[in-house]
Amino acid sequence: MKVLLTTLNAKYIHSSLALAYLKSYCAKGPFAVEIKEYSINENLEKIMMDIFDKKPDVLAFSCYIWNIEPILQLVSDFKKVAPDTIIILGGPEVSFDSEQLLSQYEDIDIIIRGEGEITLKEVLEAIYSRQDLKGIKGITYRWQDKIYQNPDRELIKNLDIIPNPYSEENLKGYYRNKIVYYETSRGCPFNCSYCLSSTIKGVRYFSLPRVKKDLLLFMQNKVPEVKFVDRTFNCHEKRAREIMEFIVENNLATRFHLEIGAELLSEEMLDFLKKVPRGMFAFEIGVQSVHDHVLRAVNRPGNWEEMKGKIRKLIAYGNIHIHLDLIAGLPGENYSLFQHSFNEVYNLYPDVIQLGFLKLLKGSPIRTQSREHGYKFNFRPPYQVLENNYLSFAEIVKLKRIEELLELYYNSGSFKNTLRYLVKEVYEDKPFTLWEEFALFWEDRGYFAMAHKKETLYGLLRSFIEKEKGFLAEQAAEILKYDYFLNHRAYMLPPDFTSHNPQGISEMVYELIRDSSFIDRYLPDWSGKSPREIRRYVHLEYLPAWVIDKKAGDKLTPILFVYNQVSKKAERVIDIGKIM
């Protein structure tokens, strides 16, 4: 019996931990289990043809809000050409209304509800041995035109019974160009009403010896990035620290992305985090709102002032990438209150600010409470809020446009100095007003409907500054040029920007990089390289001295940008004027 486990990921570089677990748990059964992953950006006809060529006896899909609609289309079409194939659906998007889905889509044979490892194996064994399904917990299924819903399955108590799905072979092969996902626990200590984790009480852990063995495999194979899917990695701080200490002691080149609760960090943990190697960890922290009454409305504990102090420390350390989340559309938070939440989070200057919008997921408590707060939301996935008693649709539209600009400008990291200058010097630490005005500027000119090259974005920001704050246009243009050369290995400025470089600038660069004493002192990593090779990764640009030193004057100074060979971004900036 041939079993194909498949899904449609949001991006090609993503991978499905769920499918990996299912395959590893079912590997010893009397059937051949294969994984094939696609992305939602691929052509459905080609996906169907590829699945058909594999001729599965059992076809199982992992379903989420981003892929349920194309999966249902695939199921309907595939059943027409392969009516004998048994089709199974599982995942959070089908676990809470399984009877309704089976009634609505007659091509689905079985739906697995909740955790799937044990259930899928029992289902496959029953199909293989031609036994009925009535004794298998955690499934809803169709038999002789009738739909049956069996009792729920208990949660897996000992998670170590699930084999590690990763091996040296598949890390170097199947997962070579993909983000690897991993978990050390299941469940969450919080019960936020917008999250499906609130439907499962308590936290269960993989044993520490198991976790360390798994992590060592990643690190020894130099996996570029591992994303933990633990809902709150540091909910058990002693355990979390032991895992992080193990990573620090054994890591070679892997970056670990963790979702943490900042409010749970003790002073001892903060002291430890201050000393971890730069770039080894990335933290995603769900702030969601800075207002206590809003957080209480979604059953989320919070003390913003305490959390803010701890986040500020993490950012000040400078060794951990910090990603902060906000959710627009929470009960009790109107446009003005959200503006305050935005300003509070923004003024911490994390590496990334994710402005998300509330999704009323199937099975979530907030969906059952939607009438209480006047929620109107998308009928189809992702069930995103349209408006409620606190935010109008017009205000949601404004926030969506701000979110788009935030991604292009702030989260790209390519405009840091310009944006900080505008917020500090022009908008008096009220960043929401900047983004609100910038979004209106884009909307009035139809820019949201156009595609833009990265270089063009600099000119659009400059045009906005000239229109709204013309008296600062020249200063802002100089900072924009500085940001541009920091983030682009380029020899020319974008259109509408003027260079101050004198004639003969190229000869000046070669004079510098031919000087072995200069290379040995300022660019020791390039010692022994030819001037021609070094020239490819340096750029000299004259800018006002105050751009890199606020205390300096308007005198033009030559600044050497030294670029990383991989990222093509400046890793060093040298004020040549100070050393000449």
Side-chain angles (χ1 to χ4, degrees), residues 417-429:
N417 295 286
T418 308
L419 293 175
R420 189 177 285 255
Y421 167 78
L422 289 173
V423 170
K424 292 284 185 185
E425 305 299 329
V426 183
Y427 286 89
E428 299 176 337
D429 290 323

Side-chain angles (χ1 to χ4, degrees), residues 241-407:
R241 177 162 176 175
E242 186 171 342
I243 292 171
M244 294 186 76
E245 286 175 342
F246 180 79
I247 290 172
V248 171
E249 291 168 5
N250 294 278
N251 200 11
L252 299 173
T254 303
R255 185 189 195 214
F256 292 88
H257 180 280
L258 314 168
E259 291 188 33
I260 71 158
E263 65 273 33
L264 302 177
L265 295 171
S266 67
E267 288 302 318
E268 292 76 17
M269 187 65 158
L270 286 166
D271 287 341
F272 164 73
L273 294 174
K274 185 177 183 179
K275 301 166 188 171
V276 300
R278 185 183 183 89
M280 189 175 290
F281 297 103
F283 286 172
E284 183 170 349
I285 301 170
V287 175
Q288 321 312 11
S289 171
V290 305
H291 302 287
D292 289 348
H293 76 279
V294 174
L295 296 176
R296 284 196 300 271
V298 292
N299 298 325
R300 183 180 179 88
N303 180 327
W304 171 239
E305 290 303 317
E306 179 184 356
M307 182 187 286
K308 180 167 67 172
K310 293 177 179 180
I311 294 173
R312 183 175 280 126
K313 285 184 178 181
L314 290 174
I315 292 171
Y317 297 160
N319 57 343
I320 299 172
H321 184 275
I322 303 296
H323 174 137
L324 301 183
D325 296 334
L326 282 170
I327 297 179
L330 293 176
E333 188 163 64
N334 60 24
Y335 191 77
S336 176
L337 290 175
F338 183 82
Q339 177 176 341
H340 178 66
S341 288
F342 183 95
N343 286 340
E344 285 282 296
V345 167
Y346 191 104
N347 285 328
L348 291 172
Y349 291 96
D351 296 287
V352 172
I353 300 172
Q354 182 174 322
L355 198 175
F357 293 82
L358 182 68
K359 296 173 178 62
L360 288 92
L361 303 174
K362 290 181 182 179
S364 65
I366 201 165
R367 183 159 172 154
T368 63
Q369 302 161 3
S370 59
R371 289 188 179 181
E372 177 185 343
H373 299 287
Y375 276 108
K376 297 176 183 177
F377 55 96
N378 296 132
F379 174 74
R380 296 162 62 179
Y383 316 114
Q384 189 166 283
V385 61
L386 297 172
E387 63 179 17
N388 58 21
N389 291 340
Y390 321 99
L391 276 175
S392 68
F393 181 63
E395 290 168 332
I396 290 284
V397 169
K398 285 184 181 180
L399 295 178
K400 291 291 288 185
R401 289 172 178 154
I402 289 172
E403 179 223 6
E404 186 171 339
L405 290 181
L406 205 64
E407 284 296 313

Side-chain angles (χ1 to χ4, degrees), residues 8 38-52 61 67-75 77-78:
L8 278 66
Y38 306 93
S39 87
I40 57 174
N41 301 309
E42 293 181 60
N43 180 277
L44 286 184
E45 184 179 14
K46 290 184 178 179
I47 293 174
M48 181 172 158
M49 290 165 59
D50 190 57
I51 293 174
F52 184 80
F61 289 92
N67 66 18
I68 184 61
E69 293 197 321
I71 283 176
L72 289 173
Q73 184 177 333
L74 281 169
V75 167
D77 292 343
F78 193 82

Side-chain angles (χ1 to χ4, degrees), residues 121-346:
K121 187 174 183 181
E122 290 184 5
V123 167
L124 295 179
E125 288 172 343
I127 294 171
Y128 179 79
S129 59
R130 300 182 182 277
Q131 296 177 353
D132 61 50
L133 304 174
K134 64 182 180 181
I136 299 176
K137 293 182 178 180
I139 65 169
T140 307
Y141 65 101
R142 188 189 316 279
W143 177 250
Q144 295 181 344
D145 297 326
K146 290 186 178 181
I147 295 170
Y148 300 88
Q149 178 157 310
N150 292 354
D152 292 339
R153 180 175 294 279
E154 302 82 1
L155 297 174
I156 300 172
K157 292 182 179 179
N158 178 15
L159 294 176
D160 283 0
I161 67 171
I162 306 170
N164 178 15
Y166 299 110
S167 65
E168 183 173 350
E169 180 182 1
N170 65 28
L171 288 175
K172 291 182 177 179
Y174 186 84
Y175 295 102
R176 180 179 175 83
N177 296 312
K178 294 182 180 290
I179 296 172
V180 171
Y181 294 89
Y182 183 71
E183 64 183 357
T184 72
S185 64
R186 290 184 179 179
C188 183
F190 303 121
N191 292 293
C192 306
S193 63
Y194 52 79
C195 180
L196 291 182
S197 293
S198 64
T199 63
I200 300 172
K201 305 302 180 185
V203 183
R204 294 161 292 143
Y205 302 95
F206 287 86
S207 70
L208 278 172
R210 157 69 185 269
V211 169
K212 291 178 180 180
K213 182 180 178 182
D214 294 349
L215 294 178
L216 199 58
L217 178 68
F218 296 142
M219 293 185 285
Q220 289 175 339
N221 284 279
K222 297 182 180 180
V223 173
E225 183 174 19
V226 174
K227 282 197 171 185
F228 283 46
V229 296
D230 301 54
R231 303 311 301 165
T232 308
F233 172 73
N234 64 322
C235 63
H236 187 319
E237 186 171 272
K238 182 180 178 182
R239 171 189 166 87
R241 177 162 176 175
E242 186 171 342
I243 292 171
M244 294 186 76
E245 286 175 342
F246 180 79
I247 290 172
V248 171
E249 291 168 5
N250 294 278
N251 200 11
L252 299 173
T254 303
R255 185 189 195 214
F256 292 88
H257 180 280
L258 314 168
E259 291 188 33
I260 71 158
E263 65 273 33
L264 302 177
L265 295 171
S266 67
E267 288 302 318
E268 292 76 17
M269 187 65 158
L270 286 166
D271 287 341
F272 164 73
L273 294 174
K274 185 177 183 179
K275 301 166 188 171
V276 300
R278 185 183 183 89
M280 189 175 290
F281 297 103
F283 286 172
E284 183 170 349
I285 301 170
V287 175
Q288 321 312 11
S289 171
V290 305
H291 302 287
D292 289 348
H293 76 279
V294 174
L295 296 176
R296 284 196 300 271
V298 292
N299 298 325
R300 183 180 179 88
N303 180 327
W304 171 239
E305 290 303 317
E306 179 184 356
M307 182 187 286
K308 180 167 67 172
K310 293 177 179 180
I311 294 173
R312 183 175 280 126
K313 285 184 178 181
L314 290 174
I315 292 171
Y317 297 160
N319 57 343
I320 299 172
H321 184 275
I322 303 296
H323 174 137
L324 301 183
D325 296 334
L326 282 170
I327 297 179
L330 293 176
E333 188 163 64
N334 60 24
Y335 191 77
S336 176
L337 290 175
F338 183 82
Q339 177 176 341
H340 178 66
S341 288
F342 183 95
N343 286 340
E344 285 282 296
V345 167
Y346 191 104

Side-chain angles (χ1 to χ4, degrees), residues 523-558:
L523 301 173
D525 292 343
W526 292 90
S527 292
K529 303 287 186 182
S530 69
R532 185 175 181 180
E533 190 173 358
I534 297 172
R535 181 68 182 90
R536 294 172 57 202
Y537 295 99
V538 297
H539 175 75
L540 192 65
E541 188 74 20
Y542 275 75
L543 292 170
W546 59 261
V547 170
I548 58 173
D549 182 357
K550 290 182 179 180
K551 297 178 182 179
D554 292 331
K555 182 181 178 181
L556 295 175
T557 186

